[in-house]
Amino acid sequence: MSSVAPASGLRERNRVRRTRRVERASLELALEHGVDHVTVDMICEASDISPRTYFNYFGTKEGALLGLGNVPYAESDIEVFLSAGGHIVEDLLHLVAATFVASEPDRDVYLMRRRLFAREPELQGLQLARMAGKRHALTRVVEQRIAAERPDLPPAEVCDEAQLVVAVAAGAFPVAGRVWAEREDAAEHIEVVIADVIARVRRIVAS
Amino acid sequence: MSSVAPASGLRERNRVRRTRRVERASLELALEHGVDHVTVDMICEASDISPRTYFNYFGTKEGALLGLGNVPYAESDIEVFLSAGGHIVEDLLHLVAATFVASEPDRDVYLMRRRLFAREPELQGLQLARMAGKRHALTRVVEQRIAAERPDLPPAEVCDEAQLVVAVAAGAFPVAGRVWAEREDAAEHIEVVIADVIARVRRIVAS
DNA sequence: TGCATTGTTGCAGTCTCTGCAACTTTGCCG
DNA sequence: CGGCAAAGTTGCAGAGACTGCAACAATGCA
């Protein structure tokens, strides 16, 4: 209920402003000193917030670095995925991409994050860890679609297949994101990039 | 130098025995009380070791739960991968599987770990996070092989391709592991399972 | 046996994170 | 406007994870 809140009240606007300020501050500090030479107290001082409040917002020290990625998949996007008839991995990537785009309005912060992640791979690990929760949910959705598409498949196979689909998508998404971020020139539609990446995966696995 | 050490001396044998004792104790405690109701002190008391030594061994509280997965890829296995001429994802999975098998001699502990992971998905996330570090190393190895196989490919493409190969393998490995663990009846050789899983991935991506 | 290497431990201290109880701000309605 | 309820922020005390250091113990080796 809060993820897509229209930021109407003063309260909401303050919250958003604060979040941005803290995220930006934490990223700047981490880029300058390295993640583990940054303390929560430093972040708080730089963004004028109390440590207690920091944890209320972000939960962990790295929370601000990763961003509040708690945005759940929109019902409507899930419906689209379930009733889409395209290549399943491709459709799934579109679902993920839509959610991603919806949750990340600040390109500036996004780029800093990218730079930081490139420098400190452990963060990417944390990112993955956070995704792990979502993967469960996602896998179920994929199972649903597979079961609907091929009703004669035994449930165990459906489960395996869904896991593999999610795994491939989860692996391909960062690559697609990277390619997309590099070709910032024309803001090429992510659909093209996704199709391209899938084609590559196909070639790799088929060879 | 220590990963494949033949446990010749008393020193080495002590180390192995201790490691096992601590891992087992931590898993038992976690299965009984839940991960976050277990403290390092509890683990230490149960396994008769000092907290300081615990951290020397495992580094983090969850270290003992995840197992000493710090085993680096053996040079020899890497060489095999680099000069192998098979399907690249398959060869890579064999490399990973070989390392995995080499580091996990205790089936008992392995099963407890499996049970715990099923109960607490967050741990799976940590597992992934830990892998993230290795992924870098692996990606480089894969790049090396791709570059050798197709010298005319531009470096950027090599990089992308390697990332995708690693991503697919990383996604497929847990599934292969699961299938393999379930078919414990005949201890079927993991090679068969791997080939099977890859075939599935191929079908998924190709459809 | 004696010495060098390696490993274990306790200690002091820093940092992350939590529950709780004030306190402050915002939203709202008469 | 005034005042009340809801929501949010903060400080504090404390548990627990983790580290560097220096003493101490065990092991390997000549």
Side-chain angles (χ1 to χ4, degrees), chain A residues 36-50:
Chain A
D36 31 289
H37 293 102
V38 175
T39 69
V40 172
D41 285 353
M42 287 166 70
I43 298 175
C44 292
E45 199 153 336
S47 50
D48 196 38
I49 201 182
S50 87

Side-chain angles (χ1 to χ4, degrees), chain A residues 87-89 117-118 121-122 124-126 128-130 132-133 135-136 150 156-157 159-165 167-168 170-172 174-175 178-179 182 197-198 200-207, chain B residues 86-89 121-122 124-126 128-130 132-133 135-136 150 156-157 159-165 167-168 170-172 174-175 178-179 182 197-207:
Chain A
H87 187 215
I88 190 165
V89 178
F117 279 27
E122 299 183 8
Q124 240 159 353
L126 287 183
L128 284 178
R130 208 195 238 179
R135 261 174 95 140
H136 252 267
R150 302 188 303 192
E157 298 269 327
C159 177
D160 280 0
E161 186 120 352
Q163 271 196 271
L164 282 176
V165 169
V168 171
V175 177
R178 197 165 64 80
V179 172
E182 277 167 6
V197 170
I198 297 220
R200 280 200 227 179
V201 173
R202 189 173 303 144
R203 247 183 302 133
I204 288 171
V205 181
S207 66
Chain B
H87 186 206
I88 190 166
V89 177
E122 299 184 8
Q124 241 159 351
L126 286 183
L128 282 179
R130 209 196 235 178
R135 261 174 94 139
H136 251 266
R150 302 188 302 192
E157 299 267 327
C159 179
D160 281 359
E161 186 121 351
Q163 272 196 271
L164 282 176
V165 169
V168 172
V175 177
R178 199 167 62 80
V179 172
E182 277 168 4
V197 171
I198 296 220
R200 280 201 228 180
V201 173
R202 190 174 302 143
R203 247 183 300 132
I204 288 171
V205 181
S207 65

Side-chain angles (χ1 to χ4, degrees), chain A residues 107-169:
Chain A
R107 179 159 188 97
D108 198 21
V109 167
Y110 171 69
L111 289 179
M112 292 174 77
R113 201 162 277 154
R114 205 157 237 311
R115 242 186 312 145
L116 182 63
F117 279 27
R119 195 177 306 172
E120 314 222 18
E122 299 183 8
L123 281 182
Q124 240 159 353
L126 287 183
Q127 184 89 308
L128 284 178
R130 208 195 238 179
M131 292 291 175
K134 292 198 168 187
R135 261 174 95 140
H136 252 267
L138 215 49
T139 307
R140 284 201 161 174
V141 174
V142 174
E143 280 174 5
Q144 215 174 316
R145 170 158 159 180
I146 292 178
E149 270 179 0
R150 302 188 303 192
D152 51 335
L153 211 63
E157 298 269 327
V158 172
C159 177
D160 280 0
E161 186 120 352
Q163 271 196 271
L164 282 176
V165 169
V166 173
V168 171

Side-chain angles (χ1 to χ4, degrees), chain A residues 13-196:
Chain A
R13 266 178 290 136
N14 272 341
R15 199 179 59 82
V16 171
R17 195 155 37 83
R18 267 197 171 173
T19 302
R20 298 250 166 113
R21 208 172 54 217
V22 178
E23 286 183 0
R24 183 177 301 269
S26 70
L27 283 167
E28 279 167 0
L29 285 170
L31 280 168
E32 185 179 350
H33 302 109
V35 173
D36 31 289
H37 293 102
V38 175
T39 69
V40 172
D41 285 353
M42 287 166 70
I43 298 175
C44 292
E45 199 153 336
S47 50
D48 196 38
I49 201 182
S50 87
R52 193 60 186 83
T53 303
Y54 173 90
F55 282 108
N56 281 344
Y57 271 64
F58 300 102
T60 70
K61 171 185 168 181
E62 295 86 359
L65 296 175
L66 302 182
L68 287 173
N70 298 324
V71 189
Y73 299 103
E75 287 293 327
S76 57
D77 288 338
I78 292 183
E79 303 245 331
V80 168
F81 167 75
L82 281 177
S83 57
H87 187 215
I88 190 165
V89 178
E90 201 162 337
D91 291 344
L92 181 57
L93 277 173
H94 283 136
L95 165 60
V96 177
T99 308
F100 171 74
V101 169
S103 76
E104 184 70 70
D106 194 337
R107 179 159 188 97
D108 198 21
V109 167
Y110 171 69
L111 289 179
M112 292 174 77
R113 201 162 277 154
R114 205 157 237 311
R115 242 186 312 145
L116 182 63
F117 279 27
R119 195 177 306 172
E120 314 222 18
E122 299 183 8
L123 281 182
Q124 240 159 353
L126 287 183
Q127 184 89 308
L128 284 178
R130 208 195 238 179
M131 292 291 175
K134 292 198 168 187
R135 261 174 95 140
H136 252 267
L138 215 49
T139 307
R140 284 201 161 174
V141 174
V142 174
E143 280 174 5
Q144 215 174 316
R145 170 158 159 180
I146 292 178
E149 270 179 0
R150 302 188 303 192
D152 51 335
L153 211 63
E157 298 269 327
V158 172
C159 177
D160 280 0
E161 186 120 352
Q163 271 196 271
L164 282 176
V165 169
V166 173
V168 171
F173 184 68
V175 177
R178 197 165 64 80
V179 172
W180 179 67
E182 277 167 6
R183 285 192 217 163
E184 57 176 319
D185 50 307
E188 184 153 20
H189 257 340
I190 196 156
E191 279 82 13
V192 182
V193 177
I194 287 180
D196 188 50

